[in-house]
Amino acid sequence: MAENAVTPIAPAAPPPAAASARAAPAKPAPALSVAPGPHIASGALTTRRMMLDVILAALPLLAVSVYLFRQYAVFQIAISVIGALAAERFFGWMRRRPNTLGDLSAAVTGLILGLSLPASAPWYVGVIGAFAGIGFGKAVFGGLGQNIFNPAMVGRAFVMIAFPAALGASAYVAPTLGVDAVTQATPLTAFKMMGSVAALKPLFLGMTNGSIGETSALAALIGGAYLCWRGTAAWRIPAGGILALAILAGASDLTGGSPWTFAHHLSSGAFLFGAFFIATDPVSSPLTPKGQWIFGAGFGALVLLIRAFSGYPEGVMFSVLLMNSVAPLINRWTIPTPVGGPAPERK
Amino acid sequence: MSERKNDGPTPMERFLGGLIPENPVYRQILGICPSLAVTNTMEGALTMGVAALFVLLCSNILISLIRPLLKPHLRILVFTLTIATFVTIADRVLAAYLYDMSKQLGPYIPLIIVNCVIIARCEICASKQRVFTAAADALGQGLGFTLGLMTIATVREILGFGTWFGKWLGWRVIPATAPAHWSNWVIMILPPGAFLTLGLLLGVFNALTAKKEKAA
Amino acid sequence: MKRNYIQQAWLVIVLACLFGAALAAVHAGLGPRIAQNRLNDTLSQIPTLVEGAARGEPLEIGGRIVYRAVDGEGAAAGWVVPAGGQGFADRIELLIGLDREAAQITGLYILQQNETPGLGNRVTEPEWRARFAGQSALAPLTVVKGRAGGAGEVEAVTGATVSSQSVVGIVNEAVARFRRERPEGAP
């Protein structure tokens, strides 16, 4: 019969890489190692070193947050980091994987999550956010390196929808937390609801209310500069974001827009914190230089769009998640031509 | 007749199969729209499950009775007609005797018409097997579907409202406290909670099945 | 050829007739009960909306049904006006209680809504609805964020300004229309 004439597909060979990796410790080291490219390995660019860089770069933000929110900042960050480490270990155990706490990626997820929460949030917000972020944001996709979305932002989105009372605009107004500057509504909320414009200097320095790590533009710039200098963060992403936001907000200023100028947009809310620390997550952002520009510009434009036209005062979290979802597409779209490769086709 | 000898699975096999091994929600992934839409309270899940069971039982019996008359190219038309009739009856009865539930479930009771579980059972079992087998099949699949809905609703109602059968029986599972100690998860009442819960429970179900197969 | 069609489809035709008859019977049997359920849902709220009212009598004014709330002896106690309009997510249907002169709002009840759970659907909470009772029906109400101080101001539900504004908008429109169309001096 005709359908029997079709040759059956040969059974797939066992994956050689996985098999040899598992067998490797038992065998003596081969004299000549043959492996597919890339062959350049940098001992310096390990996950652990990159994550340490992020923690170092976050120190100025931590200092500002502890100054502004006192023990509440310490509490939020501790809760989130401990929650993230516990979640990483828990899901690793469920998936029967070796302990991955040492690469510090879970600690950084917890740190970023903690910095993005309001100081008044109850204890379970950080813990559930960390478990949702590591679980739904990372473990279900196969762990670090496989995730589509930034785990910290997945966790924050989860708790923001789950506990609107603890993370809504009104949750930020809590009269008994930290120093005097943080007893009022956040600058972005105050502008959106009452139209009152904050002064630029406290916005830039961070003497305002907000999520505990986002208030100071200066601290985010210092930490961000360190990240870009070390190569841990791709500088094109924050550059693209800042340019897009400045150009779009500047254009609306020139056409007689609002009293909230482009300088206000740049230094308020979580924009710089997000641009340097969140959008630059190497797993969920594009790899190609051109793609990083596009990713950054899209991030900046979306932040402005959400701030100006949506019901939310701030849009960094949603912008990062939305751009994460198109990062694989941007990667495919902007594959660079290799040296000596075929000349690009012209139509 | 040769039909008697070669009638496919027995009534008992059909009934037990529908409960767990061929569970409509967890195994066949059918009827997912109500599984997501009405499972934020136990009352909604139970009402939907019983309504679907009623429709499934009636249409399976009727289709099985008229199966010698069915023409292959008109069978889907007859199935749909039958299902639509019983769904309308179920909808009217709910509106008359359980007005609050009917208000809460809204369009999802009429939408049982397009529930794939029912038409799949008409096609797979009722149009081929005897009445008794078809009725057993409907009971098994209907109970399996109800079981699926109620497991999802258990997770969602406890996390989303802190209660279990809160509207009818008023059972509080998580004591009400100040928001500083605990708070209900609004996300579990909303559609994302339905997707997450269904996904997680599917994972649990698959893990248990794999464990059982390994042991066997 | 025509005979062939009938041969093919006679089962469908017979079934359609049978099912149609069955549904007609079900509707005839249950229809009044369903209509009564709907009416009860509205009528059961009337004593909570108008002080001193025991029951309501449906009345048609300007093509719309309103309810005249009467006390135990049948004397007029006030009015209950059904109204509806677009909310944040879906239509909101509500009942407004008014006093005898239709000069003051005495209560508000949300019959049906599909607002966001946890935020918008808090418009159904008694604490929020109580902010309408005692407001003047002569001038439109306004929504304010934060503390409501002055007369005619309703504090928005936190985080659900759109839903609050929708409800207030529906109330304003329905009250104004009812005041225009109500039977003069015959409450």
Side-chain angles (χ1 to χ4, degrees), chain A residues 27-38:
Chain A
K27 284 183 193 164
L32 185 66
S33 174
V34 181

Side-chain angles (χ1 to χ4, degrees), chain A residues 122-124 128 136 140 157-158 161-164, chain B residues 179-187 190 196 200:
Chain A
W123 64 274
Y124 51 84
I128 292 170
F136 296 133
V140 292
F158 187 90
I161 305 170
F163 310 113
Chain B
H181 302 303
W182 188 250
S183 160
N184 292 332
W185 303 19
V186 176
I187 194 170
L190 296 171
L196 292 174
L200 289 178

Side-chain angles (χ1 to χ4, degrees), chain C:
Chain C
M1 211 55 203
K2 218 166 216 167
R3 259 182 75 84
N4 196 15
Y5 282 136
I6 300 294
Q7 266 176 2
Q8 301 268 339
W10 71 268
L11 180 66
V12 178
I13 296 167
V14 169
L15 279 178
C17 293
L18 280 179
F19 288 158
L23 287 183
V26 168
H27 187 77
L30 297 179
R33 206 190 154 94
I34 297 169
Q36 190 60 39
N37 278 341
R38 292 217 177 104
L39 191 62
N40 283 348
D41 196 26
T42 304
L43 291 181
S44 66
Q45 291 306 323
I46 286 177
T48 68
L49 290 174
V50 178
E51 209 178 335
R55 59 204 159 80
E57 295 167 351
L59 214 70
E60 203 177 305
I61 294 180
R64 293 183 182 82
I65 300 282
V66 300
Y67 298 91
R68 205 167 76 102
V70 291
D71 63 14
E73 279 92 52
W79 297 94
V80 171
V81 182
Q86 184 62 36
F88 180 65
D90 203 347
R91 269 185 80 79
I92 301 178
E93 301 285 341
L94 43 78
L95 295 174
I96 307 156
L98 294 169
D99 69 356
R100 239 175 306 174
E101 287 76 39
Q104 200 181 36
I105 297 174
T106 54
L108 179 76
Y109 179 74
I110 312 283
L111 282 173
Q112 204 169 4
Q113 53 81 28
N114 254 327
E115 303 302 286
T116 322
L119 294 171
N121 76 348
R122 286 173 56 206
V123 297
T124 60
E125 286 180 1
E127 295 81 43
W128 191 74
R129 290 190 281 118
R131 290 172 191 165
F132 285 85
Q135 300 274 16
S136 164
L138 304 176
L141 304 172
T142 50
V143 178
V144 291
K145 287 168 193 131
R147 298 269 164 276
E153 288 185 345
V154 177
E155 189 184 325
V157 173
T158 312
T161 316
V162 177
S163 299
S164 313
Q165 270 164 351
S166 306
V167 171
V168 169
I170 296 167
V171 170
N172 284 342
E173 200 199 319
V175 167
R177 194 178 52 222
F178 178 69
R179 283 185 57 77
R180 275 199 312 275
E181 295 174 350
R182 83 197 155 108
E184 279 306 324

Side-chain angles (χ1 to χ4, degrees), chain A residues 243-262:
Chain A
L243 273 177
L245 186 74
I247 290 172
L248 289 175
S252 94
D253 289 348
L254 287 180
T255 54
S258 70
W260 198 261
T261 63
F262 78 96

Side-chain angles (χ1 to χ4, degrees), chain B residues 20-101:
Chain B
I20 305 280
E22 284 175 43
N23 187 288
V25 177
Y26 291 121
R27 268 281 109 133
Q28 306 178 51
I29 327 277
L30 289 179
I32 290 307
C33 165
S35 311
L36 297 171
V38 304
T39 51
N40 53 14
T41 58
M42 288 303 281
E43 292 85 0
L46 185 60
T47 312
M48 170 57 81
V50 171
L53 175 64
F54 165 78
V55 175
L56 189 51
L57 190 60
C58 294
S59 36
N60 252 17
I61 290 175
L62 197 105
I63 295 289
S64 181
L65 282 175
I66 60 169
R67 74 187 186 284
L69 306 173
L70 287 177
K71 301 220 166 37
H73 60 287
L74 288 176
R75 68 185 198 289
I76 302 287
L77 184 57
V78 174
F79 296 166
T80 322
L81 202 61
T82 315
I83 296 167
T85 306
F86 289 115
V87 168
T88 313
I89 293 173
D91 179 48
R92 296 289 84 190
V93 169
L94 275 181
Y97 295 99
L98 273 175
Y99 184 66
D100 280 340
M101 279 328 288

Side-chain angles (χ1 to χ4, degrees), chain A residues 89-114:
Chain A
R89 198 65 210 95
F90 174 72
F91 291 113
W93 167 79
M94 267 179 77
R95 300 173 60 233
R96 299 191 181 78
R97 292 297 151 98
N99 190 345
T100 47
L101 294 188
D103 69 12
L104 292 179
S105 67
V108 165
T109 299
L111 180 67
I112 302 278
L113 175 70

